[in-house]
Amino acid sequence: VVVHLDKDEFHSTWLGNKAIYRTRMAIADDGELIVLAPGVRQFGEDDEIDKLIRAHGYIGTPSILEAMNKHEDLQENLSAVAHLIHGSSEGRFSIKYCPGHLTKEEIENVGFKFGDLELMGKKYDVKNLKDGWNTVTIDGVEEEIYYISNPALGLWAVQKRFGKASGEGEDSIAKPLLDNVVTIEKQNSVGNSGGVGGWKKTNSG
């Protein structure tokens, strides 16, 4: 799945992580989410939240809850705790962030894989992509991707995750659920994952 974040609308992962929690139900186990984020220059929308995200990272529910029990800064900011949980794949799929204004070290230090925006933008040229399924050619090899131009406009999911049969087959991706609001009351982490797609927050010393 490839998601584009408009450079004028999304300047932080605090907002940009809609790309994660609104698509997670459409991504297969061991799949990959690529986030093209030309306008992202920070993690939090304010200095305090930015500092918390940099300190703790998107490291999965078990690890964040453990960190909350140990650190007062998280105990005093439960919205940050919720954000850090929602921004993790719980180790089920990988997340490659391609920011316009954050470094490789900054991205990897919060638990994401880093993607070079210029390089990935050439591979997945948003000017030539339409919302939904696309076939792109990368290094002479055809690849099928699902493209989302704005994650704020819907919720994406595979029909079988709702226990319903899809007219297009069990593994087809449903259209954005704009007319039918779906409430997910509980999400369980996969195993005891402390990483994002198998990637754990690196020690910055």
Side-chain angles (χ1 to χ4, degrees), residues 123-125 128-138 140-147:
K123 288 184 177 182
Y124 307 105
D125 187 348
N128 298 323
L129 297 176
K130 66 180 187 301
D131 280 281
W133 289 108
N134 293 260
T135 300
V136 298
T137 301
I138 299 175
V141 178
E142 286 192 346
E143 176 181 338
E144 192 172 26
I145 66 166
Y146 194 88
Y147 175 66

Side-chain angles (χ1 to χ4, degrees), residues 48-49 52 68 71-81:
E48 180 182 359
I49 295 295
L52 286 175
M68 182 184 68
H71 299 280
E72 290 186 6
D73 57 354
L74 289 177
Q75 294 169 17
E76 295 172 354
N77 201 322
L78 296 182
S79 64
V81 173

Side-chain angles (χ1 to χ4, degrees), residues 165-179:
S166 168
E168 299 176 0
E170 286 189 347
D171 293 324
S172 64
I173 291 183
K175 294 179 180 179
L177 303 173
L178 295 173
D179 298 325

Side-chain angles (χ1 to χ4, degrees), residues 40-109:
V40 168
R41 61 182 68 251
Q42 59 202 53
F43 295 105
E45 283 290 288
D46 58 55
D47 291 342
E48 180 182 359
I49 295 295
D50 190 80
K51 182 179 179 181
L52 286 175
I53 295 172
R54 290 175 184 271
H56 299 285
Y58 301 97
I59 55 176
T61 300
S63 294
I64 283 298
L65 293 179
E66 182 180 352
M68 182 184 68
N69 289 331
K70 295 179 179 179
H71 299 280
E72 290 186 6
D73 57 354
L74 289 177
Q75 294 169 17
E76 295 172 354
N77 201 322
L78 296 182
S79 64
V81 173
H83 169 76
L84 292 172
I85 290 173
H86 292 157
S88 167
S89 74
E90 306 293 356
R92 194 171 63 77
F93 56 89
S94 67
I95 301 168
K96 180 177 288 185
Y97 239 99
C98 311
H101 307 280
L102 291 172
T103 67
K104 182 176 186 290
E105 181 180 15
E106 288 176 305
I107 288 295
E108 291 184 348
N109 276 347

